[in-house]
Amino acid sequence: GEIRLEDLDGVGRITAQKLRAAGFYSVRDLAFASAHELAVVLGSEERAIAIIRAAQKLVNRGEEFITARVLFEKRKNLEYISTGVRSLDDLLEGGVEVGSITELIGEFGAGKTQICHQLAVMVQLPKEKGGLNARALYIDTEGTFRPERIIQIARAKQLDPEKALENIIYARAYNSDHQMLLVDEAKKYIESQNIRLIIVDSLINHFRAEYPGRENLASRQQKLNRHISQLHRLASLYNLAVVVTNQVMSSPDIFFGNPMKPAGGNIMAHGCTYRIWLRKAKEGKRIARIIDSPKHAEKEVAFAITEDGVTD
Ligand code: ADP
Ligand code: MG
């Protein structure tokens, strides 16, 4: 069964209570904690480091160093959620990868929210149809989630629309603190509710609105970094896929090439494993391009948005 916090050397009943109150529910949570944030809870950096180390040893079972061959074998068993669009699955070499953060970037109307809706349905399908037989958690920061759209997409995928709606757990985030709180709270439900996909649409708009201008840039980026770490942790701890959306902004300092760039700077660029840039093309078509990928060649594919959802 699950190892309890109290099973760790140096963690008694009182400390365990403190840790739970601060959002560290399992040994895995501690193994992925940073010494700095844990020191705030425990009042001692030395103690924090000792507890994190003990947790890491338990979680890794002494296998921190592995050969690339073993890693290769592990990656062969990686799971994907199909986007339900052949061209996008090709671009992603199978779909959205479990354990990673996939970022959808694009201007208003590019199709980011539509893809999020579709993935919230796709994750529910059985494995042989590209899903994970699981549920989605949808964090909506812009108020653009539409259950009516889920019904249309579910019908197109031969799913019972009522069940499809039941299998999406929805929360509206009112500001960036609330957004981070929701992600923290999510930990309590992930396993019992069989959640394998977390969507944050959009990741960044509250942060941009609340921390405008150059004078707030450092604090905004620091907080955004914490938020992305939170999501990374959930992705690897609970073996689920995270999909976030991001806006583009014009950068006045670029004179040649594309004057638009993804918001969130380096923190977003380094924080998200796979980045897909969406744009509108002629006759209602959309183009998706994968950028900065550690494993994919840069390439572009086309897709469309119809009554049935996102399609080839
Ligand atoms: P964003 O990137 O801003 O999140 P969206 O994902 O909301 O963009 O995409 C909006 C576009 O999706 C609309 O401009 C429209 O073309 C298309 N769309 C939305 N719903 C439907 C529908 N039921 N049938 C066809 N197209 C739709
Ligand atoms: Mg949107």
Side-chain angles (χ1 to χ4, degrees):
E2 175 85 356
I3 314 161
R4 291 155 60 244
L5 297 182
E6 289 88 341
D7 296 333
L8 283 171
D9 276 346
V11 179
R13 196 171 54 87
I14 305 289
T15 305
Q17 273 171 5
K18 261 197 221 168
L19 290 169
R20 287 195 189 95
F24 299 97
Y25 301 104
S26 66
V27 173
R28 298 186 71 92
D29 291 339
L30 289 173
F32 283 75
S34 79
H36 179 75
E37 64 179 334
L38 203 60
V40 174
V41 180
L42 298 171
S44 149
E45 180 129 356
E46 228 170 294
R47 209 164 154 227
I49 291 170
I51 288 178
I52 289 170
R53 211 49 209 129
Q56 287 169 344
K57 281 193 181 137
L58 265 185
V59 167
N60 291 317
R61 291 185 196 86
E63 290 180 21
E64 287 189 294
F65 287 103
I66 55 175
T67 65
R69 194 182 133 72
V70 171
L71 182 60
F72 181 60
E73 290 304 319
K74 280 190 174 182
R75 284 192 57 84
K76 269 196 212 158
N77 298 325
L78 270 184
E79 296 170 296
Y80 298 87
I81 304 166
S82 166
T83 60
V85 185
R86 197 165 304 145
S87 66
L88 288 177
D89 281 357
D90 276 353
L91 187 76
L92 287 163
E93 294 176 359
V96 169
E97 190 180 290
V98 162
S100 295
I101 301 183
T102 302
E103 176 191 2
L104 305 171
I105 305 161
E107 63 185 315
F108 179 76
K112 305 180 293 293
T113 298
Q114 296 300 311
I115 296 179
C116 290
H117 279 68
Q118 179 131 325
L119 284 167
V121 173
M122 291 302 297
V123 70
Q124 302 181 30
L125 293 175
K127 293 202 173 162
E128 61 275 14
K129 288 189 172 165
L132 295 175
N133 225 329
R135 304 170 85 194
L137 180 78
Y138 202 113
I139 298 177
D140 181 10
T141 74
E142 297 180 331
T144 51
F145 178 77
R146 292 290 174 275
E148 297 80 2
R149 195 65 178 128
I150 296 296
I151 293 175
Q152 290 179 329
I153 297 171
R155 287 215 175 96
K157 303 291 171 203
Q158 275 97 45
L159 274 183
D160 175 355
E162 298 282 333
K163 283 194 188 139
L165 291 171
E166 280 295 331
N167 283 331
I168 299 171
I169 298 167
Y170 172 87
R172 176 81 200 264
Y174 298 108
N175 55 53
S176 63
D177 288 320
H178 186 220
Q179 187 173 329
M180 292 176 71
L181 183 76
L182 288 172
V183 171
D184 240 7
E185 294 272 302
K187 277 197 252 180
K188 296 181 195 161
Y189 309 109
I190 288 170
E191 279 177 320
S192 61
Q193 301 283 320
N194 188 26
I195 292 165
R196 299 293 307 278
L197 170 65
I198 296 180
I199 291 166
V200 187
D201 181 24
S202 102
L203 186 81
I204 204 154
N205 71 312
H206 284 318
F207 290 84
R208 286 184 76 189
E210 291 163 31
Y211 297 85
R214 282 205 165 273
E215 65 277 23
N216 291 313
L217 191 62
S219 6
R220 183 189 83 183
Q221 290 303 86
Q222 215 171 45
K223 194 169 173 188
L224 190 59
N225 195 25
R226 263 198 288 137
H227 187 38
I228 295 172
S229 312
Q230 261 186 319
L231 292 167
H232 259 301
R233 242 184 255 175
L234 293 189
S236 47
L237 284 176
Y238 299 102
N239 200 28
L240 52 81
V242 173
V243 173
V244 304
T245 68
N246 186 14
Q247 301 148 347
V248 291
M249 50 184 236
S250 59
S251 53
D253 49 337
I254 292 186
F255 297 100
F256 301 101
N258 192 345
M260 303 302 280
K261 64 177 185 190
N266 283 337
I267 297 291
M268 279 298 272
H270 294 149
C272 298
T273 326
Y274 303 116
R275 316 188 83 193
I276 316 289
W277 195 321
L278 310 174
R279 65 173 201 272
K280 294 190 241 184
K282 276 181 284 191
E283 291 152 16
K285 276 264 163 203
R286 300 290 195 284
I287 307 288
R289 178 186 184 82
I290 194 152
I291 59 169
D292 304 335
S293 171
K295 74 166 190 189
H296 305 92
E298 283 226 0
K299 100 176 190 190
E300 284 191 350
V301 299
F303 66 97
I305 306 173
T306 71
E307 200 67 22
D308 286 345
V310 187
T311 61
D312 273 289

